[in-house]
Amino acid sequence: MNIMLACAQGLSTSLLVEKMKKCAADEGKNYKIWAVDQAAIEGELGNFDVVLLGPQVQHIRKRVAAIVGDAAPVAVIKPTDYGRMNAAGILRQAEELCGK
């Protein structure tokens, strides 16, 4: 599964991405996980199975959903999971969105 995170500049999600990669690897899952600035989402079309937005950019969810269309689910990371860097919880959110 390819999980793309997006936030204001891709910086605040960088640490979270590393934790998510480690968690996925520990669970034996070969996921590609990366973060981008919100402006780069359109350029990544076709590369992801799910887009997770940082809570700080939840206001762009509808616009991102319109850009992505039916290609992939778009959701906002739960603020408590984001704040606690709950990598396992965020992985579960992505899996649920993709029906896994």
Side-chain angles (χ1 to χ4, degrees), residues 7 16 22 45 96:
C7 69
L16 183 55
K22 182 178 180 337
L45 286 174
E96 288 170 8

Side-chain angles (χ1 to χ4, degrees), residues 5 7 11-14 16 53-56 77-86 90:
L5 280 62
C7 69
L11 299 176
S12 61
T13 52
S14 296
L16 183 55
L53 302 173
Q56 69 275 31
I77 297 170
K78 297 170 188 164
T80 52
D81 284 343
Y82 190 86
R84 293 180 180 156
M85 300 290 254
N86 180 3
I90 298 166

Side-chain angles (χ1 to χ4, degrees), residues 19-39:
K19 290 188 89 158
M20 290 174 67
K21 285 179 179 178
K22 182 178 180 337
C23 184
D26 289 349
E27 294 177 5
K29 298 173 179 171
N30 186 25
Y31 291 170
K32 179 180 177 189
I33 306 167
W34 74 103
V36 299
D37 175 273
Q38 62 182 343

Side-chain angles (χ1 to χ4, degrees), residues 4-7 36-48 51-53 57 60 63-65 67-68 74:
M4 186 176 78
L5 280 62
C7 69
V36 299
D37 175 273
Q38 62 182 343
I41 294 171
E42 195 165 3
E44 293 285 341
L45 286 174
N47 295 332
F48 51 79
V51 178
L52 296 176
L53 302 173
V57 294
I60 66 167
R63 181 171 58 84
V64 172
I67 291 168
V68 173
V74 176

